[in-house]
């Protein structure tokens, strides 16, 4: 999504590395790189001019902080300005207390509006808000059928009157039905066109006048770059919108739309579509997006995605297995499937700080390796999954698994060896046996005694003596060798 922009900005920081302070002379090269990066990302020209002007003013007026390098300080200034341009904070979807919230969806054809409607309904369902979808697109072939299919997929009812009814009347009756049944939120999917025209705007205006929506969201394609911002402004001027949903942010869009929409249209981005699956919709947080653009990852979104998939009881049980070296292939398979449910490997890796530099080839190799592992584990018997040592000591078992999964015996042997190493490493981490990693799972937790106060004697705190060296432990049973 922002790979090219991130690479360009990286070269801007290099212009300031080795300098002892930010000055008028040394900042110009860095600003030139930032300007070029934004223009190549298809950010609106006026937004670029204002952005560079603000960064230059703030950089020259910034006080040099002791211990902070000029390039680090410049990154912080650029980060703050990116957050400012994209809207400073997340603007949540409206929820009207005591009555049905009405959301009107608008947009051109081909932007993914109908899919975004279903994605939004699923997002609200996860927040325990009941929904009703209303199909008013009577012009595009199979548009109503598409919404009905998506509604069944996410278990949300769809209200429709066929293609012969008036869209305004469909919208009115749909809202009445939702209010009569006490549904929390009704989402109206309207018709799109290949381009903005008078008929489209007039129909949208009539629907809006009849249903009086609490939210009017414009769905725009991030692939259109700065044109997305101009489109948002046109809709905002003619019918009045309260926010935008940027779709196809997982594609090869250069990110210009995300940086232009708020400044040009005045309407906040409320959600971004990051994939084709119906679960692939995320609330838009300017600070998290700025972090991704600068290659710092997005740990908060990653944690939220994990929380949706992970059961707390399962997590505690898994931790116990790791600490006691009982983590087996069944657990490993469960973790791989959990990773799949969270999205693509590439999407997850780019949320982890420092992992954004992985190439597409490396990510593809990772995906391929996960598939190979899954195929080989699926060829194991239940007993072999629960007791990996059986495979360490039996070449015949490894040959059978290789034959069943379609891979070589050497591949199975490598999987077993790597798994044993990983299991051993996990146990050492839990016991604090790896330098700098102690306490990760509670084995040397500095907060273990006294709540928020570091435990007495913990290294690095006043009064704390270095911990005594542990005796070398005997190798635990259960780590076979090939």
């Amino acid at each position: 999504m922002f790979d090219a922009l991130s690479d360009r900005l990286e070269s801007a920081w290099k212009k300031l590395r080795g300098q002892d302070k930010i000055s008028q002379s040394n900042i110009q090269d860095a600003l030139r790189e930032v300007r070029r990066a934004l223009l190549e990302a298809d950010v609106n020209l006026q937004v670029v001019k204002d952005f560079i002007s603000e960064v230059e003013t703030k950089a020259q007026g910034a006080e040099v902080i002791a211990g902070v390098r000029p390039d680090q300080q410049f990154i912080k200034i650029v980060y703050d300005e990116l957050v400012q341009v994209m809207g400073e904070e997340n603007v949540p979807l409206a929820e009207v207390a005591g009555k049905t919230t009405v959301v009107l969806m608008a947009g051109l054809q081909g932007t993914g509006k109908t899919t975004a409607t279903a994605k939004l309904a699923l997002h609200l369902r996860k927040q325990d808000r009941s929904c009703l979808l209303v199909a008013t697109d009577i012009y595009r072939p199979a548009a109503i059928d598409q919404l009905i299919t998506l509604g069944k997929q996410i278990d949300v009812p769809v209200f429709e009157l066929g293609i012969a009814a008036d869209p305004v009347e469909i919208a009115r009756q749909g809202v009445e039905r939702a209010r009569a049944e006490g549904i929390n939120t009704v989402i109206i999917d309207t018709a799109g066109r290949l381009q903005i025209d008078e008929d489209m705007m007039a129909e949208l205006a009539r629907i809006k006048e009849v249903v009086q929506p609490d939210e009017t969201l414009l769905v725009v394609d991030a692939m259109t770059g700065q044109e997305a911002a101009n489109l948002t402004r046109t809709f905002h001027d003619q019918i009045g919108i309260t926010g935008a949903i940027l779709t196809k942010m997982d594609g090869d869009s250069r990110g210009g739309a995300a940086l232009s929409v708020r400044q040009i249209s005045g309407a906040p981005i409320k959600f971004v579509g990051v994939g084709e699956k119906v679960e692939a919709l995320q609330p838009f947080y300017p600070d998290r997006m700025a972090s991704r653009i600068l290659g710092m990852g997005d740990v908060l979104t990653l944690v939220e995605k994990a929380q949706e998939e992970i059961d707390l009881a399962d997590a505690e049980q898994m931790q116990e297995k790791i600490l006691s070296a009982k983590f087996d292939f069944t657990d490993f398979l469960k973790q791989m499937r959990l990773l799949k449910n969270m999205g693509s490997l590439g999407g997850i890796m780019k949320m982890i700080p420092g992992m954004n530099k992985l190439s597409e080839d490396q990510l593809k190799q990772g995906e391929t390796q996960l598939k190979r592992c899954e195929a080989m584990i699926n060829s194991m018997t239940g007993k072999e999954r629960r007791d990996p040592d059986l495979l360490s000591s039996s070449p015949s078992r490894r040959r059978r698994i290789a034959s069943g999964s379609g891979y070589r015996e050497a591949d199975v042997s490598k999987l077993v060896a790597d798994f044993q190493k990983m299991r051993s490493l996990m146990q050492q981490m839990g016991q604090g046996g790896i330098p700098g990693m102690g306490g990760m799972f509670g084995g040397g937790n500095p907060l273990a005694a006294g709540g928020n106060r570091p435990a007495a004697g913990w290294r690095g705190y006043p009064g704390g003596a270095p911990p005594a060296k542990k005796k070398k432990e005997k190798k635990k049973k259960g780590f076979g060798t090939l």
Side-chain angles (χ1 to χ4, degrees), residues 99-296:
K99 69 169 193 172
T100 298
T101 302
V102 181
V103 179
L104 183 66
M105 305 287 280
L108 298 182
Q109 247 181 46
T111 57
K113 179 165 45 61
T114 301
T115 308
T117 301
K119 286 179 178 178
L120 181 59
L122 180 60
H123 174 78
L124 295 176
R125 265 198 61 210
K126 289 177 182 176
Q127 298 177 343
D128 295 325
R129 291 172 64 171
S130 57
C131 293
L132 174 70
L133 302 179
V134 179
T136 69
D137 187 354
I138 62 172
Y139 308 105
R140 181 168 66 88
I144 295 173
D145 292 338
Q146 181 189 357
L147 194 63
I148 291 171
T149 301
L150 288 168
K152 286 178 181 175
Q153 189 178 332
I154 61 174
D155 197 22
V156 171
V158 177
F159 179 85
E160 53 95 14
L161 295 176
I163 60 172
D166 177 33
V168 180
E169 186 61 22
I170 298 171
R172 186 187 66 77
Q173 289 192 33
V175 173
E176 282 185 0
R177 170 75 64 85
R179 286 172 178 159
E181 295 181 4
I183 290 172
N184 179 279
T185 306
V186 56
I187 308 174
I188 304 169
D189 179 34
T190 62
R193 302 286 191 280
L194 294 176
Q195 60 188 30
I196 297 172
D197 58 39
E198 290 181 13
D199 293 341
M200 176 191 187
M201 289 301 186
E203 183 175 285
L204 268 174
R206 289 202 310 275
I207 292 174
K208 187 175 180 183
E209 187 179 353
V210 168
V211 301
Q212 295 292 306
D214 304 291
E215 288 272 18
T216 304
L217 300 180
L218 179 69
V219 181
V220 285
D221 185 345
M223 304 283 281
T224 57
Q226 63 176 294
E227 186 55 37
N230 298 329
L231 181 69
T232 311
R233 178 168 58 186
T234 302
F235 269 86
H236 191 47
D237 291 345
Q238 295 197 28
I239 64 165
I241 62 173
T242 58
I245 296 178
L246 276 184
T247 61
K248 306 178 187 176
M249 287 291 279
D250 58 317
D252 58 357
S253 60
R254 290 169 289 177
L259 293 172
S260 303
V261 165
R262 180 64 183 256
Q263 288 293 97
I264 296 300
S265 68
I269 301 170
K270 296 207 170 188
F271 295 93
V272 288
V274 291
E276 294 180 6
K277 291 183 178 178
V278 77
E279 300 89 2
L281 186 76
Q282 296 174 2
F284 181 79
Y285 291 89
D287 53 342
R288 299 184 192 183
M289 192 60 71
S291 184
R292 284 196 213 184
I293 291 170
L294 296 179
M296 300 173 189

Side-chain angles (χ1 to χ4, degrees), residues 9 20 25 64 87 102 105 123 222 235 306 312 325 364 370-371 448:
L9 290 173
D20 57 351
S25 58
V64 178
V102 181
M105 305 287 280
H123 174 78
F235 269 86
L312 191 58
K364 282 179 183 175
L370 285 176
K371 288 176 183 174

